[in-house]
Amino acid sequence: MKKLKLIGDSILAYMPKAMLKGIEERHAIENAETALLRHLYPQYKDSPADINIFCLGINDYFRQYYDEDFPKMTTGEIINGLIEFIAEIKADNNGELVVLSLLPIRQTMPWSTHYPKINK
């Protein structure tokens, strides 16, 4: 059975186990942004995996709208942070790396006034 290492935000944190076929090691946190999981990465980077599944980025865009202490980041800064983290994971693991695309967020919640701008 393949070992899967999941690195990401709530999309991976709440992905049902039934969807994945393998032994899972999850490093996925609700509302996580790239800088947080990259900071925590040394704690679990030496754990080998057959497949590394990566999904981050939306909270880097979204959090700056509701968390006044979160640094304002340009799209270029967010993309560079993601690219650097992906390169680090790829260099540290001998398994396959699957990068999920940045997914749009729901616009159906009453507090989602910034979502159209973020999704664009």
Side-chain angles (χ1 to χ4, degrees):
M1 182 160 287
K2 293 188 182 251
K3 181 171 179 195
L4 312 172
K5 186 187 299 183
L6 286 73
I7 301 169
D9 53 25
S10 58
I11 290 170
L12 291 182
Y14 294 115
M15 182 179 285
K17 287 186 130 207
M19 292 179 70
L20 303 170
K21 300 210 180 330
I23 300 166
E24 296 179 26
E25 178 183 324
R26 290 189 188 224
H27 304 282
I29 303 171
E30 185 175 0
N31 294 322
E33 73 281 342
T34 305
L36 171 65
L37 284 178
R38 193 168 184 196
H39 172 74
L40 298 175
Y41 181 64
Q43 298 173 21
Y44 58 86
K45 77 175 191 171
D46 293 330
S47 172
D50 296 306
I51 301 174
N52 300 278
I53 302 171
F54 181 93
C55 185
L56 276 170
I58 195 61
N59 294 316
D60 296 321
Y61 282 102
F62 182 56
R63 191 164 177 175
Q64 57 191 334
Y65 287 101
Y66 70 86
D67 183 349
E68 63 187 34
D69 295 326
F70 191 76
K72 306 297 182 237
M73 299 171 71
T74 66
T75 298
E77 290 171 324
I78 292 169
I79 291 169
N80 286 337
L82 289 167
I83 290 170
E84 289 171 7
F85 192 16
I86 289 167
E88 189 175 348
I89 293 167
K90 192 172 181 178
D92 288 339
N93 290 280
N94 55 10
E96 179 182 352
L97 176 61
V98 176
V99 178
L100 303 181
S101 75
L102 196 61
L103 301 171
I105 52 180
R106 288 186 298 195
Q107 298 184 51
T108 57
M109 300 299 189
W111 38 267
S112 63
T113 59
H114 298 293
Y115 287 11
K117 181 179 179 183
I118 295 167
N119 283 336
K120 183 179 179 186

Coordinates of all heavy atoms in Angstrom, one line a residue, residues 19-77:
M19 N -11.7 8.7 -0.1 CA -11.3 9.2 -1.4 C -9.8 8.8 -1.8 O -9.4 8.8 -2.9 CB -11.4 10.7 -1.5 CG -12.8 11.2 -1.5 SD -12.9 13.0 -1.6 CE -12.4 13.3 -3.3
L20 N -9.1 8.5 -0.8 CA -7.6 8.2 -1.0 C -7.4 6.7 -0.7 O -7.9 6.1 0.3 CB -6.8 9.1 0.0 CG -7.0 10.6 -0.2 CD1 -6.3 11.3 0.9 CD2 -6.5 11.0 -1.5
K21 N -6.5 6.1 -1.5 CA -6.2 4.7 -1.3 C -4.7 4.7 -0.9 O -3.8 4.8 -1.7 CB -6.4 4.0 -2.6 CG -7.9 4.0 -3.0 CD -8.3 2.8 -3.8 CE -9.7 2.7 -4.2 NZ -10.7 3.3 -3.6
G22 N -4.5 4.6 0.4 CA -3.1 4.5 0.9 C -3.1 4.8 2.4 O -4.1 5.1 3.0
I23 N -1.9 4.7 2.9 CA -1.6 5.1 4.3 C -1.3 6.5 4.3 O -0.4 7.0 3.7 CB -0.4 4.3 4.9 CG1 -0.7 2.8 4.8 CG2 -0.1 4.7 6.3 CD1 0.5 1.9 5.0
E24 N -2.1 7.3 5.1 CA -2.0 8.7 5.1 C -1.2 9.3 6.2 O -1.3 8.8 7.4 CB -3.4 9.3 5.2 CG -4.3 9.0 4.1 CD -5.7 9.6 4.3 OE1 -5.8 10.7 5.0 OE2 -6.7 9.1 3.7
E25 N -0.6 10.4 5.9 CA 0.1 11.2 6.9 C -0.3 12.6 6.5 O 0.0 13.2 5.5 CB 1.6 11.1 6.8 CG 2.4 12.0 7.7 CD 3.9 11.8 7.5 OE1 4.4 10.7 7.2 OE2 4.6 12.8 7.6
R26 N -1.2 13.2 7.4 CA -1.7 14.5 7.0 C -1.0 15.7 7.7 O -0.9 15.7 9.0 CB -3.2 14.6 7.3 CG -4.1 13.7 6.4 CD -5.5 14.0 6.6 NE -6.3 13.0 5.9 CZ -7.3 13.3 5.1 NH1 -7.8 14.5 5.1 NH2 -8.0 12.3 4.5
H27 N -0.6 16.6 7.0 CA -0.1 17.9 7.5 C -0.9 19.0 6.8 O -0.4 19.8 6.0 CB 1.4 18.0 7.2 CG 2.2 16.9 7.7 ND1 2.5 16.8 9.1 CD2 2.6 15.7 7.1 CE1 3.2 15.6 9.2 NE2 3.2 15.0 8.1
A28 N -2.2 19.0 7.1 CA -3.2 19.9 6.5 C -3.9 20.5 7.7 O -4.5 19.8 8.5 CB -4.1 19.1 5.6
I29 N -4.0 21.8 7.6 CA -4.6 22.6 8.7 C -5.6 23.6 8.2 O -5.3 24.3 7.2 CB -3.5 23.3 9.5 CG1 -2.5 22.4 10.0 CG2 -4.1 24.2 10.7 CD1 -1.2 23.1 10.6
E30 N -6.8 23.6 8.8 CA -7.8 24.6 8.4 C -7.2 26.0 8.5 O -6.5 26.4 9.4 CB -9.0 24.5 9.3 CG -10.1 25.4 8.8 CD -11.4 25.2 9.7 OE1 -11.4 24.3 10.6 OE2 -12.4 25.9 9.4
N31 N -7.5 26.8 7.5 CA -7.0 28.2 7.4 C -5.5 28.4 7.3 O -5.0 29.5 7.5 CB -7.5 29.1 8.5 CG -9.0 29.2 8.5 OD1 -9.6 29.4 7.4 ND2 -9.7 29.2 9.6
A32 N -4.8 27.3 7.0 CA -3.3 27.4 6.9 C -2.9 28.2 5.7 O -3.5 28.0 4.6 CB -2.7 26.0 6.9
E33 N -1.9 28.9 5.9 CA -1.3 29.6 4.7 C 0.1 29.0 4.5 O 0.6 28.3 5.3 CB -1.2 31.1 4.9 CG -0.2 31.6 5.8 CD -0.7 31.5 7.3 OE1 -1.9 31.4 7.6 OE2 0.2 31.6 8.1
T34 N 0.7 29.3 3.4 CA 2.0 28.7 3.0 C 3.1 28.9 4.0 O 3.8 28.0 4.3 CB 2.4 29.3 1.6 OG1 1.3 29.0 0.7 CG2 3.7 28.6 1.1
A35 N 3.2 30.1 4.5 CA 4.3 30.4 5.5 C 4.2 29.6 6.7 O 5.2 29.1 7.2 CB 4.3 31.9 5.8
L36 N 3.0 29.3 7.2 CA 2.8 28.5 8.4 C 3.2 27.1 8.2 O 4.0 26.5 8.9 CB 1.3 28.5 8.9 CG 1.0 27.5 10.0 CD1 1.7 27.8 11.3 CD2 -0.5 27.4 10.2
L37 N 2.7 26.5 7.1 CA 3.1 25.1 6.8 C 4.5 24.9 6.4 O 5.2 23.9 6.7 CB 2.1 24.4 5.8 CG 0.8 24.1 6.4 CD1 -0.1 23.5 5.3 CD2 0.8 23.1 7.5
R38 N 5.1 25.9 5.8 CA 6.5 25.9 5.5 C 7.3 26.0 6.8 O 8.4 25.3 6.9 CB 6.9 27.0 4.5 CG 8.2 26.8 3.9 CD 8.4 27.8 2.7 NE 9.7 27.5 2.1 CZ 10.3 28.3 1.3 NH1 9.8 29.4 1.0 NH2 11.5 28.0 0.8
H39 N 6.9 26.8 7.7 CA 7.6 26.9 9.0 C 7.5 25.5 9.8 O 8.5 25.1 10.4 CB 6.9 28.0 9.9 CG 7.4 28.0 11.2 ND1 8.6 28.6 11.6 CD2 6.8 27.6 12.4 CE1 8.8 28.5 12.9 NE2 7.7 27.9 13.4
L40 N 6.4 24.8 9.7 CA 6.3 23.5 10.3 C 6.9 22.4 9.6 O 7.2 21.3 10.2 CB 4.8 23.2 10.5 CG 4.0 24.2 11.4 CD1 2.5 23.8 11.4 CD2 4.5 24.2 12.8
Y41 N 7.2 22.6 8.3 CA 7.7 21.5 7.5 C 8.9 20.8 8.0 O 9.0 19.5 7.9 CB 8.0 22.1 6.1 CG 8.5 21.1 5.1 CD1 7.7 20.1 4.7 CD2 9.8 21.2 4.5 CE1 8.2 19.1 3.7 CE2 10.2 20.3 3.6 CZ 9.4 19.3 3.2 OH 9.9 18.4 2.3
P42 N 9.9 21.4 8.6 CA 11.1 20.6 9.1 C 10.7 19.5 10.1 O 11.4 18.5 10.2 CB 11.9 21.7 9.8 CG 11.6 22.9 9.1 CD 10.1 22.8 8.8
Q43 N 9.5 19.6 10.8 CA 9.1 18.6 11.7 C 8.7 17.3 11.1 O 8.7 16.3 11.7 CB 7.9 19.1 12.6 CG 8.3 20.3 13.4 CD 7.1 20.9 14.1 OE1 6.0 20.3 14.3 NE2 7.1 22.2 14.5
Y44 N 8.3 17.4 9.8 CA 7.8 16.2 9.1 C 8.5 15.9 7.8 O 8.1 14.9 7.1 CB 6.3 16.2 9.0 CG 5.7 17.4 8.2 CD1 5.6 17.4 6.9 CD2 5.3 18.5 8.9 CE1 5.1 18.4 6.2 CE2 4.8 19.6 8.2 CZ 4.7 19.5 6.8 OH 4.1 20.6 6.2
K45 N 9.4 16.7 7.4 CA 10.0 16.6 6.0 C 10.8 15.3 5.8 O 10.9 14.8 4.7 CB 10.9 17.8 5.7 CG 12.2 17.8 6.3 CD 13.0 18.9 5.8 CE 14.5 18.8 6.2 NZ 15.3 19.8 5.6
D46 N 11.3 14.7 6.9 CA 12.1 13.5 6.8 C 11.3 12.2 6.7 O 11.9 11.1 6.6 CB 13.1 13.4 7.9 CG 14.2 14.5 7.8 OD1 14.5 14.9 6.7 OD2 14.7 14.9 8.8
S47 N 10.0 12.3 6.8 CA 9.1 11.2 6.7 C 8.9 10.8 5.2 O 8.3 11.6 4.5 CB 7.8 11.5 7.4 OG 6.9 10.5 7.2
P48 N 9.4 9.7 4.7 CA 9.3 9.4 3.3 C 7.8 9.1 2.9 O 7.0 8.6 3.7 CB 10.2 8.2 3.1 CG 10.2 7.6 4.5 CD 10.1 8.7 5.5
A49 N 7.5 9.4 1.7 CA 6.2 9.1 1.1 C 6.3 8.6 -0.3 O 7.2 9.1 -1.0 CB 5.3 10.3 1.3
D50 N 5.4 7.8 -0.7 CA 5.3 7.4 -2.2 C 4.7 8.6 -3.0 O 5.1 8.8 -4.1 CB 4.5 6.2 -2.3 CG 5.1 5.0 -1.6 OD1 6.3 4.7 -1.9 OD2 4.4 4.3 -0.8
I51 N 3.7 9.2 -2.4 CA 3.1 10.3 -3.1 C 2.9 11.5 -2.1 O 2.4 11.3 -1.0 CB 1.7 9.9 -3.7 CG1 1.8 8.7 -4.6 CG2 1.0 11.1 -4.3 CD1 0.5 8.2 -5.1
N52 N 3.3 12.7 -2.5 CA 3.1 13.9 -1.7 C 2.1 14.7 -2.4 O 2.2 15.1 -3.6 CB 4.4 14.7 -1.7 CG 5.6 13.9 -1.1 OD1 5.7 13.8 0.1 ND2 6.4 13.3 -1.9
I53 N 1.0 15.0 -1.7 CA -0.1 15.8 -2.3 C -0.1 17.1 -1.7 O -0.1 17.3 -0.4 CB -1.5 15.1 -2.0 CG1 -1.4 13.6 -2.6 CG2 -2.6 15.9 -2.6 CD1 -2.6 12.8 -2.2
F54 N 0.0 18.2 -2.5 CA 0.2 19.6 -2.0 C -1.0 20.4 -2.5 O -1.4 20.4 -3.7 CB 1.5 20.1 -2.6 CG 1.8 21.5 -2.3 CD1 2.6 21.7 -1.2 CD2 1.4 22.6 -3.0 CE1 3.0 23.0 -0.8 CE2 1.7 23.9 -2.7 CZ 2.5 24.1 -1.6
C55 N -1.6 21.2 -1.6 CA -2.7 22.1 -2.0 C -2.7 23.3 -1.0 O -3.1 23.1 0.2 CB -4.0 21.4 -2.0 SG -5.4 22.4 -2.5
L56 N -2.2 24.4 -1.4 CA -2.1 25.6 -0.6 C -2.3 26.8 -1.5 O -2.3 26.7 -2.7 CB -0.7 25.7 0.1 CG -0.5 25.0 1.4 CD1 0.9 25.1 1.8 CD2 -1.4 25.6 2.5
G57 N -2.5 28.0 -0.9 CA -2.5 29.2 -1.6 C -3.7 30.1 -1.4 O -3.6 31.3 -1.3
I58 N -4.9 29.5 -1.3 CA -6.1 30.4 -1.2 C -6.1 31.2 0.1 O -6.5 32.4 0.1 CB -7.4 29.6 -1.4 CG1 -8.6 30.5 -1.6 CG2 -7.7 28.7 -0.1 CD1 -8.4 31.3 -2.9
N59 N -5.6 30.6 1.2 CA -5.6 31.4 2.4 C -4.5 32.5 2.4 O -4.7 33.5 3.1 CB -5.3 30.5 3.6 CG -6.5 29.5 3.8 OD1 -7.7 29.9 3.7 ND2 -6.2 28.3 4.0
D60 N -3.5 32.4 1.6 CA -2.5 33.5 1.4 C -3.3 34.7 0.8 O -2.9 35.8 1.2 CB -1.4 33.1 0.5 CG -0.6 31.9 1.1 OD1 -0.3 32.0 2.3 OD2 -0.2 31.0 0.3
Y61 N -4.2 34.4 -0.1 CA -5.0 35.5 -0.7 C -6.0 36.0 0.3 O -6.2 37.2 0.5 CB -5.7 35.1 -2.0 CG -4.8 35.0 -3.2 CD1 -4.3 33.8 -3.6 CD2 -4.4 36.1 -3.9 CE1 -3.5 33.7 -4.7 CE2 -3.6 36.1 -5.0 CZ -3.1 34.8 -5.4 OH -2.3 34.7 -6.5
F62 N -6.8 35.1 0.9 CA -8.0 35.4 1.6 C -7.7 36.0 3.0 O -8.4 37.0 3.4 CB -8.8 34.2 1.7 CG -10.1 34.4 2.5 CD1 -11.0 35.3 2.0 CD2 -10.4 33.6 3.6 CE1 -12.2 35.5 2.7 CE2 -11.6 33.8 4.2 CZ -12.5 34.7 3.8
R63 N -6.7 35.5 3.7 CA -6.5 35.9 5.1 C -6.2 37.4 5.3 O -6.6 38.0 6.2 CB -5.4 35.1 5.7 CG -5.3 35.3 7.2 CD -4.5 34.2 7.8 NE -4.3 34.4 9.2 CZ -3.7 33.6 10.0 NH1 -3.2 32.5 9.5 NH2 -3.6 33.8 11.2
Q64 N -5.6 38.0 4.3 CA -5.2 39.4 4.4 C -6.5 40.3 4.5 O -6.4 41.5 4.8 CB -4.3 39.9 3.3 CG -4.8 39.6 1.9 CD -3.6 39.8 0.9 OE1 -2.7 40.5 1.1 NE2 -3.8 39.2 -0.2
Y65 N -7.7 39.8 4.1 CA -8.9 40.6 4.1 C -9.6 40.6 5.5 O -10.3 41.4 5.8 CB -9.9 40.0 3.1 CG -9.5 40.4 1.7 CD1 -8.9 39.4 0.8 CD2 -9.7 41.7 1.2 CE1 -8.5 39.8 -0.5 CE2 -9.3 42.0 -0.1 CZ -8.7 41.0 -0.9 OH -8.4 41.4 -2.2
Y66 N -9.3 39.5 6.3 CA -10.0 39.5 7.6 C -9.0 39.5 8.8 O -9.5 39.6 9.9 CB -10.9 38.3 7.7 CG -10.3 36.9 7.7 CD1 -9.8 36.4 8.9 CD2 -10.1 36.2 6.5 CE1 -9.2 35.1 8.9 CE2 -9.5 34.9 6.6 CZ -9.1 34.4 7.8 OH -8.5 33.2 7.8
D67 N -7.7 39.3 8.6 CA -6.8 39.3 9.7 C -5.8 40.5 9.5 O -4.9 40.5 8.7 CB -6.0 38.0 9.6 CG -5.0 37.8 10.8 OD1 -4.7 38.8 11.5 OD2 -4.5 36.7 10.9
E68 N -6.0 41.5 10.3 CA -5.2 42.7 10.2 C -3.8 42.5 10.5 O -2.9 43.3 10.1 CB -5.8 43.8 11.1 CG -5.8 43.5 12.5 CD -6.5 44.6 13.4 OE1 -7.5 45.1 12.9 OE2 -6.0 44.8 14.5
D69 N -3.4 41.5 11.2 CA -2.0 41.2 11.5 C -1.3 40.4 10.4 O -0.1 40.3 10.4 CB -1.9 40.4 12.8 CG -2.3 41.2 14.0 OD1 -2.1 42.5 14.0 OD2 -2.9 40.7 14.9
F70 N -2.1 39.9 9.4 CA -1.5 39.1 8.4 C -0.9 40.1 7.3 O -1.5 41.0 6.9 CB -2.5 38.2 7.7 CG -2.0 37.2 6.8 CD1 -1.3 36.1 7.2 CD2 -2.1 37.4 5.4 CE1 -0.8 35.1 6.4 CE2 -1.6 36.4 4.5 CZ -0.9 35.3 5.0
P71 N 0.3 39.8 6.9 CA 1.0 40.7 5.9 C 0.2 40.8 4.6 O -0.3 39.8 4.1 CB 2.4 40.2 5.7 CG 2.3 38.8 6.1 CD 1.2 38.7 7.2
K72 N 0.1 42.0 4.0 CA -0.5 42.1 2.7 C 0.5 41.6 1.7 O 1.7 42.0 1.7 CB -0.8 43.6 2.4 CG -1.7 44.3 3.5 CD -3.1 43.6 3.6 CE -4.0 44.3 4.6 NZ -4.4 43.5 5.6
M73 N 0.1 40.7 0.8 CA 1.0 40.1 -0.1 C 0.5 40.3 -1.5 O -0.7 40.3 -1.8 CB 1.1 38.6 0.2 CG 1.6 38.3 1.6 SD 1.4 36.5 1.9 CE 2.7 35.8 0.9
T74 N 1.4 40.5 -2.4 CA 1.1 40.6 -3.8 C 0.9 39.2 -4.4 O 1.4 38.3 -3.8 CB 2.2 41.4 -4.6 OG1 3.4 40.6 -4.6 CG2 2.5 42.8 -4.1
T75 N 0.3 39.2 -5.6 CA 0.2 37.9 -6.2 C 1.5 37.3 -6.5 O 1.7 36.1 -6.3 CB -0.6 38.0 -7.5 OG1 -2.0 38.5 -7.2 CG2 -0.8 36.7 -8.3
G76 N 2.5 38.1 -6.9 CA 3.8 37.6 -7.2 C 4.5 37.0 -5.9 O 5.1 35.9 -6.0
E77 N 4.3 37.6 -4.8 CA 4.9 37.1 -3.5 C 4.2 35.8 -3.2 O 4.9 34.9 -2.7 CB 4.7 38.1 -2.4 CG 5.5 39.4 -2.6 CD 5.2 40.5 -1.6 OE1 3.9 40.6 -1.2 OE2 6.1 41.2 -1.1

